[in-house]
Amino acid sequence: MAAPGEEEDVMARYRSPLVSRYASAEMAYNFSERKKFGTWRRLWLYLAQAEKSLGLPITDEQIKEMEANLDNIDFKMAAEEEKKLRHDVMAHVHTFAHCCPKAAAIIHLGATSCYVGDNTDLIVLRDGFNLLLPKLARVISRLADFAEKYADMPALGFTHYQPAQLTTVGKRCCLWIQDLCMDLQNLERARDDLRFRGVKGTTGTQASFLQLFEGDHSKVEELDRLVTAKAGFKRAYMVTGQTYSRKVDIGVLAVLASLGASVHKICTDIRLLANLKEIEEPFEKDQIGSSAMPYKRNPMRSERCCSLARHLMTLVMDPLQTASVQWFERTLDDSANRRVCLAEAFLTADIILSTLQNVSEGLVVYPKVIARRIQQELPFMATENIIMAMVKAGGNRQDCHEKIRVLSQQAAAVVKQEGGDNDFIARVRADPYFSPIHKQLESLLDPSSFTGRAPQQVANFLKEEVRPALILYQGKMGGKIELAL
């Protein structure tokens, strides 16, 4: 047989579906080898520039040579070096030095591996949040439009997944929006709380840099500040071991896990509503719901969100355990674990937000089905209103209660035992006892009179909380998130 071609080789190896099937190109790049090792070189450049500005013997020529080769990465050479040295950072130091011979002597000067490793992780985490936040804001915006459109439409509410008092379609959507607004706030806070590891040395004491600057503490502090600013951070952690505290990773993955819980709840509601045929996610013209049952319209997008959200929620256990077993200034058993869980958390959050945006932009509402379900349950809910109306018309409360009890049980038997429709109101209309209020029955059964302040709550919530939060966020992002406000 002929040797397999390059494409066949790729198909013969496992690839994470998070990248090959789901996540956006931007998020996949954020956790790519090119982004990682390109950032390492930029960090070595920032360090050399700062050391030069503080008086170390580093030349302009060396700096320019490093600048010219930031993205000129020989990945094959780096892999060969790592196989030989068994050390990824030193492999890339040698690879960078190979294309920067004049700067070779000062690359990585005074630094430890975690200078590039941990600082790159923090940059990637920050950039990951910056990719997620606009997507989350867009989902909130689309759902806010939906909630506003259906703010007044009565719908049967459920508690314990049993029929309860009425709500509105828009009010139920606001429950989803409120959770996502909390997530938006949490993700912003987690991003803004990130600090840079900075220039701290092998055990966090900055001893190597203090030696380079001949005991000048102020220059070591200024070096840390300069490199931190060059990397785009306002602050660095004041104390570290060899690594930044792994509790930082807990905070990052905790807010992503919380987002996963929100999305799972929303998409579960949509799946339940799809079964009730009240609301469905978008279903394309040529989409197939089932290979065996052509009539099916499976909520596959919402199911995908739930499936991936479960994975996202479990990932926070990794940094929890990692942080708990960091021995003294650090131990390397965090490394392999973090390569997996940090990337997978952001890649997973990325796809569930993209999918949820697609769902939220194409939700289909079936008003007649919603109205029919209300009519099946509303007669029983209206019994208190009927009693009050009869009392006002001169009736006896206890007599009326007994009449309604008997008629409602008869109607319930028709529904449960015969599979018929709820005929309670027809029985009330046919009973001469209720003749004083027959003309009021229509108004007493108006679904909008059973939704309380739901429409007003929707209007107030969107006006006072959601829209201002989105406008504020849009301003922070320079108007780059395509919100329909």
Side-chain angles (χ1 to χ4, degrees):
M1 293 178 62
E6 182 178 349
E7 183 177 346
E8 291 176 300
D9 284 341
V10 171
M11 299 306 293
R13 299 173 61 187
Y14 173 78
R15 294 180 297 161
S16 169
L18 291 175
V19 174
S20 65
R21 187 175 178 91
Y22 296 127
S24 67
E26 295 80 7
M27 189 62 80
Y29 174 76
N30 190 51
F31 287 92
S32 69
E33 300 288 87
R34 187 167 295 281
K35 168 76 177 278
K36 175 180 177 179
F37 297 129
T39 303
W40 283 12
R41 290 194 174 189
R42 283 162 176 80
L43 287 168
W44 283 319
L45 173 64
Y46 299 155
L47 181 62
Q49 289 172 330
E51 288 174 336
K52 176 180 181 299
S53 71
L54 291 170
L56 292 189
I58 296 172
T59 66
D60 289 337
E61 189 177 26
Q62 289 172 313
I63 296 295
K64 290 179 181 178
E65 187 180 53
M66 293 173 73
E67 290 173 337
N69 287 280
L70 292 175
D71 297 308
N72 178 27
I73 304 174
D74 186 338
F75 288 99
K76 183 178 179 180
M77 178 181 178
E80 291 171 351
E81 287 288 327
E82 183 173 355
K83 186 176 181 179
K84 179 174 62 177
L85 301 173
R86 307 295 294 177
H87 197 289
D88 56 350
V89 173
M90 287 308 300
H92 278 269
V93 169
H94 289 184
T95 304
F96 196 19
H98 180 75
C99 57
C100 297
K102 295 175 184 177
I106 55 93
I107 293 173
H108 198 66
L109 182 59
T112 185
S113 297
C114 286
Y115 167 70
V116 289
D118 271 30
N119 283 325
T120 292
D121 287 344
L122 290 162
I123 290 170
V124 167
L125 295 179
R126 178 196 64 195
D127 294 351
F129 278 127
N130 285 335
L131 291 172
L132 293 179
L133 282 163
K135 294 188 176 187
L136 177 53
R138 277 194 290 269
V139 170
I140 293 170
S141 176
R142 305 310 188 257
L143 289 175
D145 294 340
F146 180 87
E148 187 172 49
K149 181 177 180 180
Y150 294 101
D152 300 329
M153 181 179 285
L156 184 63
F158 291 89
T159 58
H160 313 275
Y161 201 40
Q162 301 298 315
Q165 289 186 353
L166 300 192
T167 183
T168 70
V169 173
K171 170 62 189 300
R172 176 176 283 145
C173 182
C174 284
L175 298 179
W176 304 340
I177 295 170
Q178 182 167 251
D179 287 352
L180 294 176
C181 284
M182 293 180 191
D183 293 316
L184 184 70
Q185 186 179 42
N186 290 339
L187 263 65
E188 276 196 279
R189 184 181 65 248
R191 180 199 62 190
D192 295 344
D193 282 350
L194 287 174
R195 301 188 192 184
F196 203 51
R197 177 192 176 272
V199 183
K200 296 296 195 297
T202 54
T203 58
T205 65
Q206 299 177 301
S208 60
F209 297 104
L210 192 63
Q211 184 176 1
L212 280 174
F213 289 104
E214 298 180 346
D216 190 331
H217 290 266
S218 63
K219 285 191 174 182
V220 176
E221 291 176 358
E222 182 64 6
L223 177 70
D224 205 358
R225 189 194 67 77
L226 286 173
V227 174
T228 297
K230 286 176 180 291
F233 286 82
K234 295 180 180 179
R235 297 180 299 170
Y237 296 107
M238 294 187 70
V239 294
T240 72
Q242 189 172 89
T243 68
Y244 67 79
S245 171
R246 294 312 184 215
K247 282 187 71 69
V248 174
D249 295 343
I250 296 174
V252 169
L253 264 64
V255 298
L256 296 181
S258 183
L259 171 64
S262 299
V263 174
H264 199 295
K265 184 266 191 292
I266 293 167
C267 291
T268 299
D269 283 357
I270 293 172
R271 292 164 66 191
L272 293 170
L273 290 166
N275 173 260
L276 298 175
K277 298 179 174 61
E278 293 191 6
I279 294 177
E280 290 180 342
E281 66 178 39
F283 196 90
E284 297 168 15
K285 180 182 177 182
D286 296 324
Q287 183 174 331
I288 295 175
S290 168
S291 62
M293 295 168 281
Y295 61 86
K296 292 194 75 179
R297 292 170 64 97
N298 298 336
M300 49 83 69
R301 293 171 176 84
S302 298
E303 290 173 324
R304 179 192 302 162
C305 284
C306 289
S307 182
L308 290 172
R310 285 202 298 274
H311 177 59
L312 178 56
M313 287 186 284
T314 65
L315 289 173
V316 72
M317 290 304 300
D318 278 341
L320 281 168
Q321 295 184 65
T322 294
S324 71
V325 295
Q326 283 297 288
W327 301 348
F328 303 119
E329 281 64 46
R330 81 90 43 106
T331 180
L332 194 61
D333 67 354
D334 64 339
S335 179
N337 184 283
R338 294 175 69 252
R339 289 176 192 266
V340 175
C341 70
L342 295 181
E344 288 202 354
F346 279 88
L347 291 164
T348 306
D350 180 66
I351 185 55
I352 65 175
L353 285 177
S354 296
T355 307
L356 185 57
Q357 180 184 334
N358 176 267
V359 170
S360 64
E361 290 175 343
L363 287 172
V364 181
V365 178
Y366 296 103
K368 291 183 179 180
V369 178
I370 293 172
R372 176 175 172 79
R373 182 156 284 106
I374 289 174
Q375 291 306 316
Q376 291 172 342
E377 302 293 341
L378 188 61
F380 294 148
M381 298 179 190
T383 54
E384 187 67 19
N385 288 2
I386 293 173
I387 292 174
M388 293 300 100
M390 281 295 296
V391 171
K392 288 180 182 179
N396 180 281
R397 193 265 178 198
Q398 274 58 250
D399 292 341
C400 184
H401 184 280
E402 179 60 20
K403 283 277 188 181
I404 288 177
R405 186 187 69 81
V406 173
L407 294 181
S408 63
Q409 289 186 0
Q410 292 172 349
V414 170
V415 173
K416 295 179 180 179
Q417 297 175 20
E418 301 176 19
D421 292 333
N422 189 332
D423 63 359
F424 172 72
I425 296 302
R427 292 175 185 275
V428 171
R429 289 186 189 280
D431 193 324
Y433 175 81
F434 294 98
S435 58
I437 64 165
H438 279 170
K439 294 182 179 179
Q440 300 179 47
L441 284 176
E442 186 173 344
S443 62
L444 291 174
L445 290 166
D446 180 3
S448 63
S449 68
F450 290 83
T451 59
R453 297 193 65 254
Q456 291 75 21
Q457 288 179 347
V458 172
N460 292 342
F461 176 58
L462 296 180
K463 179 182 177 181
E464 297 178 18
E465 292 194 25
V466 180
R467 302 295 190 191
L470 289 174
I471 291 170
L472 178 63
Y473 183 72
Q474 190 175 35
K476 292 179 182 177
M477 295 297 293
K480 297 178 181 179
I481 56 175
E482 302 171 11
L483 298 183
L485 299 172

